[in-house]
Amino acid sequence: MKAGRFIFTLLVAFACFQQSTAQGGFQNASEDCKNNYSIFFELYKTRNYLEAYEGWKYTFDNCKEMTKNIYIYGPTIVKAKIDAEKDPNKKRKLIQLLYSIYDERNKYFPEKDGYVIGLKAMDMMIYEPQSETEKVFNTFQKALELEPSEHSAAFFNNYFIMVVRMYQADSKNFDLNRVFETFNLISEALEINNNNYNRQIEEIQARIDANQANDKDLKTKERLEKELENYTKVETNIELQIAKIATCDRLTALYNDQTFEANKDDINWLRRAAKLLQKERETDDGEKESCITLPIFLKIANALNNLEPSATSSRSVAKIALYNKDYTLAIESFKKAAELEADPVKRADDWRRAGEAMLMKGQLENAKLAALRSIMLNPRSGEGHILLAKVYAAAEGVCGNNVFEKKAVYWAAIDKLKTAASIDPSVANKAKRLIAEYSKRLPDKAISFQFNWKQGDKYTIGCWINETVLVDFDIK
């Protein structure tokens, strides 16, 4: 019975093997190659990686051109062997074997050289000592030179970690200019991938909305959304790291009148300069700050907008306008940026900023609509809810006929702040501070009672707010 089951298993593995060897090497492979592949492939499928090693090693040594799967499955098998090995010398030989898998793959199946070198770089980051930091960094760099964008989110994250390590180890030879240059290359690659995923998701969503999507569409959309989430996390992580390095003083050394004159017609230089200068950093009190107040930023933003009207250039103009309290221009420019932007997260931020400018102009109804649009585009962010809370708080005295009704807007504002804190930990402190502030402005309990409102009642705020709130005098 067991023998029969084993033979059946081998037949299944053999069939899978034939299906996965479209490269044509199978027909010319020896019987030993076929048998060893079939055995290790089945063990691999059941995650018996250590047991799979001998069969895999035979195919790696003797069946180089049989199938790319030897090189795809090999790293997982060899890593299991490395983890199990106690002898340092044997472990080191296995690590070298691991690296050689990637080299051999590019030799015999060279269609994705940069991507494969990127895989090697990530393994080197794990197994190489700190003394080999430059060697590991150079491998990452070579991978990006060969393939500028089609890497995993983990690749870009680890690459920038190596950039920071290089700068920290030797800032004289690996200076800020190289840090920012590599940051820009990585940011641009992430943006390409983000835009690509967003476009595919939007196309599938359009089919879903039209009731034309199939099961494959739904599975593809789920996979793309997970990938996009990974890229977004990496982008956030990299921006947190660059924020510690890219202070305004340091950026001024790179972006000034002299460098502007030398590069004012270079669209890539202008685009990268604008992106770094307007990069926001979080202060100790949770607020955002950037370097847009530097005089050079205005020159860069205007030059960029003249050469290449885009989401980035429109956003740059909008931020300057907001700083200069030109709210009309800020609103127009943020809306233009949102129109040109492919990434819904960035689009959401553009609408939020447009809403903030509308709030400053007293356009409360429009500001609410902008906040809602921001929330719809990025439901995981609490920033849109905080803007909505500020809009409601600004409506004190606008909706209602008596002091209770006019101040009830603060309950609506606090509700939005609680939502913000619950869905987005990064804004929790800001939300709590505003809750403490707004709770002091709630309707007075005694006065409310005179208008027949008591603790626990529900009240619907009229006009454009149209929110139902719980009467609660005990909010702290």
Side-chain angles (χ1 to χ4, degrees), residues 113-124:
D113 288 19
Y115 172 77
V116 172
I117 292 172
L119 296 176
K120 179 181 178 180
M122 288 193 285
D123 282 344
M124 290 178 71

Side-chain angles (χ1 to χ4, degrees), residues 172-379:
K172 186 174 289 186
N173 291 316
F174 197 93
D175 60 13
L176 283 171
N177 195 36
R178 289 194 68 185
V179 173
F180 296 147
E181 181 183 333
T182 312
F183 168 78
N184 283 321
L185 289 172
I186 293 173
S187 293
E188 287 159 14
L190 287 170
E191 187 172 354
I192 289 170
N193 283 289
N194 280 342
N195 291 346
N196 181 38
Y197 285 134
N198 280 313
R199 276 191 291 270
Q200 292 181 66
I201 290 169
E202 286 184 355
E203 288 171 4
I204 295 172
Q205 187 60 52
R207 290 199 291 274
I208 292 171
D209 294 342
N211 293 319
Q212 296 174 349
N214 54 34
D215 288 342
K216 184 180 178 181
D217 283 331
L218 298 177
K219 289 179 182 178
T220 301
K221 182 172 180 283
E222 184 179 357
R223 176 181 61 80
L224 290 171
E225 286 174 339
K226 286 181 180 178
E227 286 293 323
L228 187 60
E229 184 178 353
N230 289 335
Y231 277 100
T232 302
K233 286 178 181 176
V234 168
E235 190 171 18
T236 301
N237 185 43
I238 289 173
E239 288 181 354
L240 286 172
Q241 293 181 68
I242 196 68
K244 299 172 185 175
I245 300 172
T247 63
C248 293
D249 287 342
R250 286 170 172 167
L251 288 174
T252 302
L254 295 176
Y255 305 120
N256 49 53
D257 288 334
Q258 184 177 352
T259 57
F260 173 76
E261 285 302 319
N263 296 279
K264 61 184 178 182
D265 295 320
D266 184 339
I267 194 69
N268 287 326
W269 186 90
L270 291 169
R271 193 187 298 125
R272 290 169 178 176
K275 186 178 289 186
L276 271 172
L277 288 167
Q278 65 184 297
K279 188 67 63 183
E280 291 184 329
R281 305 151 188 80
E282 190 167 305
T283 62
D284 293 336
D285 59 1
E287 296 301 319
K288 306 282 187 180
E289 66 175 10
S290 69
C291 305
I292 63 169
T293 56
L294 296 175
I296 194 62
F297 182 69
L298 179 59
K299 290 184 178 181
I300 290 170
N302 286 331
L304 180 60
N305 204 38
N306 289 333
L307 284 174
E308 181 194 59
S310 65
T312 299
S313 63
S314 296
R315 199 173 290 126
S316 300
V317 171
K319 289 182 178 180
I320 295 172
L322 198 60
Y323 175 74
N324 291 329
K325 299 183 180 180
D326 185 347
Y327 300 123
T328 300
L329 178 59
I331 292 166
E332 291 174 0
S333 299
F334 276 126
K335 287 170 73 174
K336 185 66 175 176
E339 178 187 326
L340 296 171
E341 180 59 63
D343 186 343
V345 173
K346 292 176 182 174
R347 210 184 309 154
D349 197 55
D350 290 328
W351 275 108
R352 178 181 64 83
R353 292 301 190 88
E356 288 175 347
M358 293 169 187
L359 174 60
M360 297 304 293
K361 282 201 75 174
Q363 298 175 357
L364 301 186
E365 293 181 59
N366 288 338
K368 176 183 177 177
L369 293 175
L372 291 174
R373 196 156 188 175
S374 175
I375 292 166
M376 179 189 70
L377 287 164
N378 188 11

Side-chain angles (χ1 to χ4, degrees), residues 128-134 165 169:
E128 289 302 298
Q130 194 168 352
S131 59
E132 298 294 336
T133 296
E134 186 171 0
R165 286 181 185 175

Side-chain angles (χ1 to χ4, degrees), residues 53 64 88 122 143 388 476:
Y53 178 78
K64 299 288 189 183
M122 288 193 285
L388 196 52
K476 303 294 184 184

